[in-house]
Each structure stands twice: as C-alpha cells, then as structure tokens.
Amino acid sequence: MSALIIDGKQISADMRNEMISEVAELKQKGVTPGLAVILVGEDAASIVYVGSKEKACIQLGMYSEVHRMAADSSEEQVLALIEKLNNQDSINGILVQLPLPKHINEKAIIDAIRVDKDVDGFHPESVGNLVIGDDSLLPCTPAGVIELIKRSGVDIAGKHAVVIGRSNIVGKPVAMLLLRENATVTICHSRTANLEEIAKQADILVVAIGRANAIDSKFVKPGAVVVDVGINRLDTGKLAGDVDFESCQTVAGHITPVPGGVGPMTITMLMKNTITAAKKVNGM
Ligand code: NDP
C-alpha cells in the first residue's frame, strides 16, 4: 500500500487563487487588506521569510509594508512602531518576525499588538479565545494543518487525533483546533511514556517535535493520516521532516511530504488571516 500524498503546494496555490478573487472583490468595495511585517536585525532565514510574505501580499493584490529595523534597535523603538501600526487604518495585520534579538522581550512585543490585528495568532488573548471557542485569528501553521486535512477530504469529527509536540506555536494550538473540529485528542511530548503505542492508535497523527525522521512506520496505524510539521536541515543541506516519509508512506492512508506539505501553508494562512481581519474591521 502506498499513501495518498497531501500536496501542500497545490492546496496552497488553490487557496491563493481563491484569495486573489476575494481581494479583488473587497477592493471594489473600497477595502484593501494590508499587512505590516516588522523585521529586526539580519537573521538570514528571517530575511527570506519576510521576503516571501511581501511577495505573497503582492501576488494577492494586498497592501504590504515591511519595516526593516537595525539589530540594535531598542524595545521602545519596536513598541513605538507597533503603536503606530495599531492605529494605522491601512494596516489590518501586524506580524513581528521571530526570533527577535536577545535584548528585546518577545512577550512584551507580542502583547503590544492589537488583538484584531494579531495575524500570527500568538497574542495571549487570541490564544484564550481559541481555547474558549470564541472568534479569533488562528495561528498560521496550526490552521494550515487543519486546512490540509480538510481539503484532503478527511472528516476530522470523531477521529482519534494524536499530536506529538506541545509547543505554544504548533503542538498546543493544533490540538485545540483538532478538538474544535470534534476529534478526540491526545497530546504527547518528550516525557510521554509508550509514545509508540499511543501514536499507533491515531487516526490522525500530527508530528511537531523538531527531530529529523524521528517517527517511522512503527508509530503509524495502517490507513492513518500523517501530518508532518517538522522542518529540519540535515548536514547534507537537504530538508527533512520529523516523519520518516519513506517508511511511513507504506503504512499511512494520507501523508504530507517535507518540503511541500505543511510548509507552503503557513504564509497562505497568514494572508487568509489578514483578509479576515480586514473584513472584520470593516463590518463584513
Ligand atoms: P519546539 O522545540 O518548541 O517543541 C518541540 C516539542 O516536541 C516539545 O513539546 C517537546 O516536548 C516535543 N518533543 C521533542 N522531542 C520529542 C520526542 N523525542 N518525543 C516526543 N516529543 C518530543 O518545536 P516547535 O513546536 O516550534 O517546532 C516543531 C517542528 O516544527 C520544528 O521542526 C520546526 O522547525 C517546525 N515548524 C514548522 C513550521 C512550518 O511553517 N511548517 C512552523 C513552526 C515550526 P517537551 O515539551 O516535553 O520538551
């Protein structure tokens, strides 16, 4: 048996096409969704990510601002820029590219973003709203995981979903979103006993641990949906997921590849959040 490959690139492209039409319609009504990205310093990966976000905005016909600040910018300077963007009507979403230089308190920065412009979904109020089931902007990578599963025709309700990883940016919010979709959810982590046994009970297995190829077919129930969030750079320079794709694809029913699975969805969901925020603030 060979699993169906969940093509994140294609799903992301489909979503972006849908959004191009949606943005065009919004613009006709006088609303142009706008995203501001703040980059502090010269982290090589961050520069690439910020460039991709700017490109995606342009591709979709949205308004984009990128604020590139020197690595030695003070926390007060970053906070002052956020305050300005919080009050700027042309901006519906504010994203501060992480990680920030060490002298800046990440939490103070995230907390300063207006909740209805929190397109990364990391503000404590956004997280709280997600947990209690209120309307909120959803964290991009976790929301992308749900979108991939749904658009592959898999019904989440009633399934046993096992999430391996409990970080605030991936594991916990993925688990909350799966719960909201009426899955029965188990969360595993580095202290979980019998990980293999628990993972093997999953109808849907989401892996976000940050260890290349750590999960092989022994952890996978035949026919399960396997979503690999991991992005690991190998010594060879190649990218690898947390899931050993070759071994797991012989057992799984559906599986995401790395690259080309969850990765392409993150920025697409950021665009979706920016559109959602623009519609909301304009009462649409
Ligand atoms: P973190 O390092 O913050 O969290 C890793 C989690 O995995 C922790 O909860 C840890 O447990 C758990 N864990 C680590 N090792 C094991 C193990 N051997 N068995 C079981 N659980 C384990 O990572 P992130 O959540 O930030 O990221 C996870 C992966 O996802 C990374 O590869 C990252 O690059 C990728 N990622 C991809 C994104 C995308 O756009 N596609 C976006 C964000 C992340 P404990 O809590 O006990 O320490």
Side-chain angles (χ1 to χ4, degrees), residues 49 122 140-142 145 163-172 187-192 195 207-212 214-215 219 228-233 240-242 258 261-267:
Y49 291 142
F122 293 159
C140 300
T141 301
V145 168
V163 179
I164 313 182
R166 57 170 164 182
S167 73
N168 287 332
I169 62 164
V170 188
K172 280 183 203 161
I187 306 174
C188 301
H189 45 79
S190 69
R191 309 283 293 272
T192 297
L195 180 64
V207 187
I209 60 181
R211 282 163 201 264
I215 300 299
F219 293 76
D228 185 358
V229 185
I231 302 178
N232 308 284
R233 179 78 60 185
D242 293 343
V258 176
V262 175
M265 294 299 286
T266 300
I267 294 180

Side-chain angles (χ1 to χ4, degrees), residues 190-241:
S190 69
R191 309 283 293 272
T192 297
N194 308 324
L195 180 64
E196 193 179 310
E197 204 177 289
I198 296 168
K200 220 170 171 155
Q201 293 169 23
D203 303 308
I204 298 171
L205 182 64
V206 180
V207 187
I209 60 181
R211 282 163 201 264
N213 304 319
I215 300 299
D216 64 18
S217 59
K218 293 197 300 292
F219 293 76
V220 178
K221 175 163 111 174
V225 178
V226 178
V227 180
D228 185 358
V229 185
I231 302 178
N232 308 284
R233 179 78 60 185
L234 301 176
D235 292 340
T236 58
K238 276 182 76 176
L239 285 185

